[in-house]
Amino acid sequence: MSHPAHIPVRVANVETVTPFVKTFTFEPRNGATLPRFSAGSHVVVTMPGDERPYRNPYSLMSSPFELDYYQVSVRREDEGRGGSLYMHERVSIGDELDISAPTNMFALHPLARRHLLIAGGIGITPFLAQLHELERMQADYQMHYAFRNQDNAAFHDYLQDHYSDHLHCYESDNGVTLNPARLLADQPLGTHLYVCGPKGLLEAVTDTARRLGWPESCIHYEEFAAPPVGKPFTVELAKSGRSLEVAGSATVLETLEQAGLEPNCLCRGGVCGECETVVLEGDIDHNDHFLSDEVKASNERMMICVSRARSERLVLDL
Amino acid sequence: MIEGIKSRPVYSDLRPDLDGSHHLLVAEGAGAEALVRFCHAWDAAGDPDADYDILYHPDEDRRWIGTVNELAREAVAVFVNRVGLESVLARRLAAARMGLRLYVAGSEGFIWRVVAIAREAGLSEDAIQKERCGTQARPVSCVHCKTIADDVTTNVYQCPGCGLHVFVRDHFSRLLGAYQSVCVDAENPGELPEIEEVYA
Amino acid sequence: MSAQLQINDPKIKPIETFRDDFTYSNSPEAIRRFPFPFHEDKYMYSVNIEPHNVGPAGSVFAPAFDIDEHYLSEIEERRRVLEEDPGRCAVLPHMMEAQWDTLELLMTSLARDYPQHFKLERNGDRWTWENRLLGIKDTFTFDDASTLPYEPFEYITRQVQGDFTLHGQRNNMLYMDGGMVTCQADWSLQFDLGMDFYEWHGPVPKAHEMGIFERALKYLLNLQVGQPVRRLNWTMTVHPRMDTSPENYHKWGIDRSQVTADNVGELAHLRVELQSLFRLPRSNAIIFSIRCYLISLNELVTVPKWARRFHRVHKSLPPELADYKGFSGYQPYVIDFLSQYDDGAPTSPGTQPD
Ligand code: FES
């Protein structure tokens, strides 16, 4: 179960949404319908790549009630490891890709009395599916959307057209910024907070919520750690005695997969906990959101989908 | 989780949680003890920004009323019956904002009644502290007929609903706010163990 | 799906009883496909979770939900239990989406695996469900509970063998948010409703099993749509009694003291639960199917390999486990009885009959 089933899809449409964001529509290749999913789910898209395949998680933004196609949006990261550039520059209509079955790490809380959604920039995508769901449930919700300017405000018009009663926008270049303290200080009991966006916004909002006494169980966020580019290093596999070089733009997980191994993994973003691996030697550079600070400090376990080495070499219990 | 896998609730002394932005204390009977301790801790911590409110029902145990009133906060409300307290509590919660901390002290029956009202109002359990004070009596739900007996103090009792002699287990339901009891002599009808006051 | 070829075509027996006169019995075919759970000649604790919906042709593991010769009897028993105690089926209000998920999963699986008995026609939201075994043909609107005679979860689980529980997932935890529980081994849905994963596993015998539970929870939280898993659990039951609920313990508890050396072969039953778990796609909830199989010792010893092995398992069972499972009182009779069939010969690997 830790190797999600692959769904063969064809790219049915590619749409440029902003100068930085493209939306991809995937149709099932085998003629069947796609699996149903719950709002907030993501899929891992496998791209062939030149040297090695890229596998990136993207939130499903299409309606969960639509089984004929899925949609994801990808922001181009010029500094990234290449996956988003590949999607932007190499993927076009008619291409065939593989995606994983949908998995949800960012679900709406079914007992919430009110849903307070806060997105920064491209962090809007998981909310697009959730808004369909909230509307259908006739839930009490607010969508707060912060962006720099219109070039970075993907789906702004769409949101305006469909959810204007619930939508609050903050365009920082116009001097309009989101004030988390003001927003969070006056919410009724039973409100649940959901945040998705850049690290700065995410931390500002969740820190404020905690400072105002929001219980942890009501704070939800999605921050897929994009695996950072770093220094190359060596991993040694204690059980098989193999030694592999991890390139600066590759992750440990990808390096192992390239070498024909099949480590457990699911989200590839440091969230789900599937790829936890025991480290026997070396210094870990943690980038995940799964391990507790305590475990991180022990330097004994790592999430190989996003974390790297500080030392020249790591010895893994594999 | 150090306790191992148990559904039996864990109670602990009320302590001001200064992360909260509003604080509401609700107590019954000997729960006053916890109120007094809480207020001293609060004063020692000295948090001028926040304040707390107290709802208190003395129940049979009237000797605490003086002490509670002496806590000298304008915010103390003392109720002559539990129903009165419950309706004011529900009203307060309906108007409350996120950031509220709820503190409950009293018997287990009282605690879980308050938790149920709070849950109904949308408060999540991680915003609630609970301290059991005074009696150890348990609210118990008979698994056979579902009748809840309010203050069971013995290991075995006769269910007022179905008349079976039932044994009180440590298995606890937060939703029902009660422990579970199961027929004690099903395998040897009529053979009852010695009945002891274990939850006095 | 080629799986169809591998699924047994059960010859459904007329209704037998799991109470009063206990007319329930297994045919020789049912005995051969009984999910005998012991892989070794001694007791070993294991959680051994494995992929479900795959298994040897004709086995109980091949279909998503096994339908066998006892279908009509178990459905009738469920109806009787519910008639006496409607609370055996309960679902918390926030689980409506999971109810429809369940209905869809069960209907599509049954129609795929047993097309001779079940048929589902979907016309957009208008669905027609045909259950030939029960003579049911209903047309309803998916997502509109008012078009069904019961809520969707109860509607469909009244037509499928085995207990079902529904688990909502939130805050990295699973909750017992609903179920249809009429053939349980001694736990009460009504009492456990709303409990979290640790609470509903309630009183376990050994604290050191904590680590096992933590790992199991993490595993289930990451359970994938379309990749169900299963495990087997077992205990002993006196008489082929499906409803060994705590609710009725005052009625069946007495059974345990009625086992004697003479009647143990007939009265004592090995009770195996095939527990399988499926992620539900729309609600992100998990459905847990607990399918119960009962076999008397007399029936079990018709398979010499099982008789030998079951004897050895009983002899090596830690006493506290026999206590926990509730059969320590009559276990000596069980061991004596089985010893007649254990000549000390080695057993072949695997759990299949020779
Ligand atoms: S794959 Fe999910 S944490 Fe690494």
Side-chain angles (χ1 to χ4, degrees):
Chain A
M1 72 165 235
S2 41
H3 305 286
H6 281 248
I7 305 170
V9 293
R10 178 179 302 104
V11 178
N13 195 21
V14 181
E15 196 187 336
T16 302
V17 182
T18 74
F20 312 103
V21 175
K22 282 186 177 178
T23 295
F24 298 84
T25 303
F26 300 137
E27 288 173 342
R29 215 149 74 206
N30 51 15
T33 51
L34 292 161
R36 294 182 188 275
F37 67 94
S38 51
S41 295
H42 71 271
V43 293
V44 173
V45 178
T46 302
M47 303 155 244
D50 290 327
E51 283 129 50
R52 57 180 171 81
Y54 295 109
R55 291 197 180 88
N56 284 6
Y58 295 113
S59 295
L60 291 176
M61 50 173 272
S62 41
S63 162
F65 309 101
E66 184 53 75
L67 306 183
D68 292 332
Y69 61 85
Y70 287 163
Q71 285 181 320
V72 302
S73 282
V74 180
R75 189 191 153 88
R76 173 192 178 111
E77 302 294 347
D78 290 318
E79 307 296 306
R81 299 175 323 114
S84 71
L85 276 183
Y86 188 95
M87 286 298 283
H88 268 255
E89 286 172 0
R90 307 278 294 276
V91 174
S92 48
I93 295 179
D95 284 359
E96 300 192 339
L97 295 170
D98 271 352
I99 62 173
S100 70
T103 305
N104 202 338
M105 308 271 149
F106 193 48
L108 292 168
H109 199 288
L111 300 178
R113 303 299 168 92
R114 166 181 285 182
H115 304 264
L116 195 64
L117 318 181
I118 301 183
I122 192 65
I124 191 70
T125 55
F127 294 128
L128 293 172
Q130 292 185 340
L131 289 168
H132 282 287
E133 179 68 28
L134 291 165
E135 220 11 73
R136 197 189 66 97
M137 287 162 32
Q138 298 183 305
D140 175 2
Y141 69 94
Q142 295 178 0
M143 176 75 246
H144 295 264
Y145 185 17
F147 44 83
R148 200 175 311 146
N149 50 40
Q150 287 299 325
D151 275 356
N152 287 282
F155 310 108
H156 176 261
D157 296 345
Y158 165 83
L159 291 166
Q160 224 24 293
D161 288 348
H162 292 84
Y163 303 102
S164 58
D165 290 350
H166 304 268
L167 183 68
H168 306 259
C169 290
Y170 309 85
E171 184 170 346
S172 59
D173 280 2
N174 272 352
V176 185
T177 54
L178 173 80
N179 179 338
R182 197 174 326 132
L183 182 61
L184 298 177
D186 190 23
Q187 294 293 335
L189 284 194
T191 306
H192 280 250
L193 171 67
Y194 308 82
V195 203
C196 185
K199 203 169 171 156
L201 174 89
L202 203 127
E203 281 177 4
V205 174
T206 55
D207 287 353
T208 306
R210 290 188 184 103
R211 195 163 42 74
L212 292 170
W214 284 56
E216 209 53 49
S217 63
C218 303
I219 305 175
H220 315 278
Y221 50 89
E222 174 148 89
E223 190 194 22
F224 274 116
V229 179
K231 284 194 320 257
F233 57 96
T234 309
V235 282
E236 279 175 36
L237 311 182
K239 288 186 184 145
S240 60
R242 292 176 71 175
S243 172
L244 302 167
E245 296 307 315
V246 181
S249 65
T251 63
V252 176
L253 175 62
E254 288 164 347
T255 309
L256 297 180
E257 286 173 340
Q258 275 300 95
L261 296 159
E262 291 189 344
N264 287 349
C265 67
L266 196 54
C267 71
R268 308 182 81 93
V271 188
C272 73
E274 276 298 307
C275 70
E276 186 173 333
T277 303
V278 172
V279 179
L280 302 171
E281 270 178 62
D283 243 341
I284 308 159
D285 185 6
H286 296 286
N287 292 307
D288 66 277
H289 304 284
F290 180 78
L291 296 174
S292 65
D293 289 346
E294 246 166 84
V295 176
K296 284 183 181 169
S298 78
N299 204 38
E300 283 168 0
R301 281 158 192 281
M302 74 183 289
M303 310 313 292
I304 55 172
C305 63
V306 289
S307 295
R308 308 185 61 84
R310 262 186 244 288
S311 47
E312 310 257 283
R313 90 187 230 288
L314 285 180
V315 183
L316 304 181
D317 191 17
L318 285 177
Chain B
M1 280 301 137
I2 317 129
E3 282 286 323
I5 305 163
K6 285 240 175 71
S7 57
R8 182 169 144 192
V10 180
Y11 304 100
S12 54
D13 290 359
L14 301 188
R15 227 174 287 155
D17 175 357
L18 299 178
D19 285 340
S21 39
H22 326 276
H23 305 262
L24 180 60
L25 288 96
V26 190
E28 187 177 74
E33 239 176 294
L35 295 183
V36 173
R37 227 181 316 103
F38 179 94
C39 293
H40 288 154
W42 182 277
D43 291 341
D47 187 48
D49 287 348
D51 213 340
Y52 55 82
D53 291 305
I54 295 177
L55 309 181
Y56 181 61
H57 171 226
D59 203 17
E60 254 99 271
D61 196 353
R62 305 195 61 80
R63 72 199 134 120
W64 290 93
I65 296 181
T67 323
V68 171
N69 277 320
E70 264 164 50
L71 291 172
R73 304 269 169 176
E74 301 107 57
V76 179
V78 176
F79 296 84
V80 291
N81 54 38
R82 195 191 272 183
V83 181
L85 177 142
E86 285 180 3
S87 71
V88 170
L89 173 65
R91 241 181 299 129
R92 294 276 181 102
L93 290 172
R97 315 313 285 168
M98 288 300 285
L100 176 79
R101 288 292 180 276
L102 180 68
Y103 307 83
V104 198
S107 67
E108 279 195 285
F110 177 74
I111 289 173
W112 293 98
R113 184 65 207 125
V114 170
V115 171
I117 292 168
R119 188 189 302 121
E120 198 51 43
L123 190 66
S124 61
E125 256 204 56
D126 52 343
I128 308 176
Q129 289 186 27
K130 314 178 238 359
E131 177 173 348
R132 183 173 54 187
C133 295
T135 176
Q136 307 273 307
R138 292 178 160 191
V140 187
S141 164
C142 170
V143 79
H144 309 291
C145 73
K146 327 290 176 202
T147 304
I148 294 194
D150 275 331
D151 295 295
V152 176
T153 57
T154 49
N155 57 338
V156 172
Y157 68 100
Q158 188 171 16
C159 173
C162 61
L164 289 174
H165 288 273
V166 287
F167 171 78
V168 181
R169 301 177 67 208
D170 259 351
H171 199 33
F172 183 84
S173 158
R174 286 157 191 268
L175 224 51
L176 298 175
Y179 291 86
Q180 185 180 58
S181 62
V182 183
C183 181
V184 72
D185 59 345
E187 300 189 21
N188 318 76
E191 265 179 52
L192 297 184
E194 203 166 320
I195 298 184
E196 291 170 84
E197 287 268 328
V198 283
Y199 312 115
Chain C
M1 271 232 161
S2 63
Q4 258 183 40
L5 303 170
Q6 310 211 333
I7 308 274
N8 68 314
D9 184 3
K11 256 243 241 21
I12 314 283
K13 286 186 170 188
I15 292 175
E16 297 172 327
T17 57
F18 299 95
R19 53 171 86 192
D20 309 323
D21 56 349
F22 297 107
T23 59
Y24 168 93
S25 71
N26 288 295
S27 70
E29 300 78 59
I31 293 175
R32 286 193 70 80
R33 69 192 296 278
F34 188 86
F36 187 74
F38 306 104
H39 289 262
E40 311 215 26
D41 279 359
K42 57 181 186 297
Y43 173 74
M44 300 272 286
Y45 183 81
S46 76
V47 186
N48 65 322
I49 304 182
E50 52 188 348
H52 182 53
N53 207 186
V54 288
S59 76
V60 305
F61 305 117
F65 302 94
D66 184 42
I67 299 295
D68 69 8
E69 64 179 23
H70 306 298
Y71 180 80
L72 292 177
S73 309
E74 290 186 34
I75 297 304
E76 170 61 10
E77 171 68 7
R78 164 153 297 158
R79 193 195 59 74
R80 291 178 69 174
V81 172
L82 287 168
E83 196 171 69
E84 289 159 14
D85 184 1
R88 300 293 188 87
C89 180
V91 186
L92 292 176
H94 65 270
M95 298 297 280
M96 192 41 92
E97 192 94 76
Q99 291 206 32
W100 287 107
D101 267 338
T102 304
L103 177 134
E104 179 171 22
L105 174 68
L106 288 173
M107 286 186 176
T108 52
S109 304
L110 293 177
R112 179 195 64 214
D113 292 344
Y114 303 96
Q116 68 276 42
H117 298 311
F118 305 98
K119 190 168 151 206
L120 177 64
E121 268 176 86
R122 291 190 270 193
N123 220 322
D125 284 348
R126 286 305 276 176
W127 291 24
T128 299
W129 169 246
E130 195 176 343
N131 177 340
R132 297 187 186 113
L133 293 171
L134 297 178
I136 290 174
K137 186 168 180 183
D138 284 325
T139 298
F140 60 95
T141 306
F142 191 85
D143 250 345
D144 180 355
S146 70
T147 60
L148 283 169
Y150 300 96
E151 289 204 343
F153 178 81
E154 178 167 357
Y155 174 76
I156 192 60
T157 55
R158 274 177 177 267
Q159 301 179 41
V160 189
Q161 290 169 269
D163 283 346
F164 292 90
T165 54
L166 269 182
H167 305 286
Q169 178 163 337
R170 49 192 180 273
N171 301 118
N172 276 317
M173 182 50 79
L174 291 170
Y175 295 85
M176 177 75 71
D177 286 342
M180 166 67 91
V181 179
T182 65
C183 42
Q184 73 267 50
D186 211 0
W187 66 279
S188 163
L189 170 73
Q190 253 182 314
F191 190 81
D192 287 3
L193 201 62
M195 287 190 182
D196 74 26
F197 183 82
Y198 294 118
E199 288 171 332
W200 92 68
H201 282 99
V204 290
K206 290 186 188 120
H208 73 250
E209 288 178 4
M210 192 62 203
I212 295 177
F213 281 83
E214 269 171 12
R215 278 195 300 279
L217 173 62
K218 179 181 154 186
Y219 185 85
L220 296 182
L221 290 173
N222 283 341
L223 187 68
Q224 294 293 286
V225 171
Q227 302 194 40
V229 297
R230 67 163 173 255
R231 65 176 289 249
L232 293 175
N233 199 6
W234 72 278
T235 185
M236 303 284 293
T237 298
V238 180
H239 294 302
R241 188 187 287 282
M242 275 288 173
D243 179 27
T244 52
S245 58
E247 281 89 342
N248 282 335
Y249 174 55
H250 58 300
K251 296 180 189 159
W252 59 262
I254 189 90
D255 294 355
R256 287 174 175 170
S257 61
Q258 292 175 344
V259 182
T260 65
D262 292 333
N263 66 17
V264 62
E266 187 192 337
L267 257 54
H269 285 68
L270 168 61
R271 180 188 193 103
V272 174
E273 288 177 356
L274 167 56
Q275 308 180 337
S276 54
L277 295 124
F278 299 75
R279 170 72 67 196
L280 296 175
R282 299 201 309 167
S283 56
N284 202 37
I286 285 178
I287 184 155
F288 194 170
S289 145
I290 309 156
R291 176 76 156 79
C292 171
Y293 298 86
L294 286 166
I295 188 171
S296 70
L297 291 187
N298 281 342
E299 289 168 342
L300 185 138
V301 299
T302 61
V303 179
K305 171 179 170 182
W306 291 352
R308 290 188 186 103
R309 187 173 286 172
F310 198 35
H311 176 239
R312 297 166 197 178
V313 167
H314 261 291
K315 280 207 312 193
S316 59
L317 195 71
E320 68 270 20
L321 247 145
D323 253 344
Y324 174 66
K325 291 179 185 272
F327 55 75
S328 52
Y330 59 90
Q331 196 196 21
Y333 299 127
V334 173
I335 293 178
D336 270 358
F337 175 84
L338 291 170
S339 70
Q340 310 168 62
Y341 300 90
D342 188 358
D343 53 8
T347 57
S348 58
T351 57
Q352 297 299 96
D354 286 327

